[in-house]
Amino acid sequence: MTETDTLTILRYPDPRLHTVARPVKAVDERIRGLIQRMLATMYEANGIGLAATQVDVHERLIVVDVSEERNQPMVLINPEIEWASPETRKGEEGCLSVPGIYDGVERSVAVRVRAQDGDGNARTIEAEGLLAVCIQHEMDHLMGKVFVEYLSPLKRNRIKTKLLKAEREHTR
Ligand code: GNR
Ligand code: NI
């Protein structure tokens, strides 16, 4: 068994994070390979989700695993929100593309999502709790939206400055 290569995760404020993804045309070998690399990248980074946008692939594909044991991978291709609960809750979020930053975001507490799985089969997912939050966070990425855009311009600018400085110091 050979290890799957991981991918580089784009970091805010990289402008490519604001690209709107296009639908996946066919769940073929290319997409299956991408799914495996995205899962390896998510697990290596200890994330609970990853959107293709974050690895500079602008197609509607996300992977998620909110299980404690990290053994319940979920693949959502061309996901669409069918229903979102009017009830919302503010919860602490982080993002692999915004390392070290955590802040509150208001989200629907439950969603029903229509998507294709890794075999190209249509399915409907009813999610609540952390899974619902994660799916909404990932679907925002596919629309070119990063969670810091829900924060005040002041907070967002502080985050931008902090990450650019960290990047400069790392590159030096
Ligand atoms: O790993 C992640 N944790 C997380 C925690 C609270 C709300 C959302 C997330 S998603 C994030 C991984 C990531 O950046 N996905 O895009
Ligand atoms: Ni994210």
Side-chain angles (χ1 to χ4, degrees), residues 129-142:
L130 185 59
L131 180 60
V133 169
C134 187
I135 289 174
Q136 290 171 81
H137 175 114
E138 303 314 335
M139 288 184 69
D140 272 354
H141 277 303
L142 299 180

Side-chain angles (χ1 to χ4, degrees), residues 21 25 27 38 46-47 60 70 76 79 98 100 117 120 136 152:
K25 281 234 180 80
V27 184
M38 283 177 60
N46 291 315
R60 294 187 58 82
R70 322 276 304 134
L76 281 76
V98 195
D117 65 17
Q136 290 171 81
S152 70

Side-chain angles (χ1 to χ4, degrees), residues 47-166:
I48 59 170
L50 188 70
T53 308
Q54 293 175 278
V55 294
D56 203 21
V57 174
H58 303 287
E59 299 181 56
R60 294 187 58 82
L61 165 61
I62 70 182
V63 296
V64 173
D65 189 341
V66 296
S67 72
E68 204 73 55
E69 301 77 19
R70 322 276 304 134
N71 61 359
Q72 286 173 58
M74 191 175 213
V75 177
L76 281 76
I77 298 169
N78 299 327
E80 298 294 343
I81 302 258
E82 253 184 24
W83 173 82
S85 68
E87 188 192 343
T88 61
R89 189 174 303 160
K90 194 172 196 165
E92 193 87 338
E93 295 197 13
C95 181
L96 295 173
S97 295
V98 195
I101 307 291
Y102 304 88
D103 213 326
V105 178
E106 189 94 26
R107 302 271 191 196
S108 287
V109 300
V111 290
R112 187 168 65 241
V113 177
R114 183 107 177 124
Q116 284 164 267
D117 65 17
D119 298 317
N121 298 316
R123 50 178 299 193
T124 301
I125 297 113
E126 308 233 12
E128 56 175 31
L130 185 59
L131 180 60
V133 169
C134 187
I135 289 174
Q136 290 171 81
H137 175 114
E138 303 314 335
M139 288 184 69
D140 272 354
H141 277 303
L142 299 180
M143 295 302 295
K145 186 154 186 167
V146 180
F147 88 96
V148 297
E149 291 172 72
Y150 290 107
L151 309 178
S152 70
L154 175 65
K155 275 189 178 178
R156 191 160 59 249
N157 278 316
R158 282 180 175 157
I159 291 165
K160 217 177 266 181
T161 304
K162 185 175 176 180
L163 291 179
L164 285 171
K165 183 166 175 281

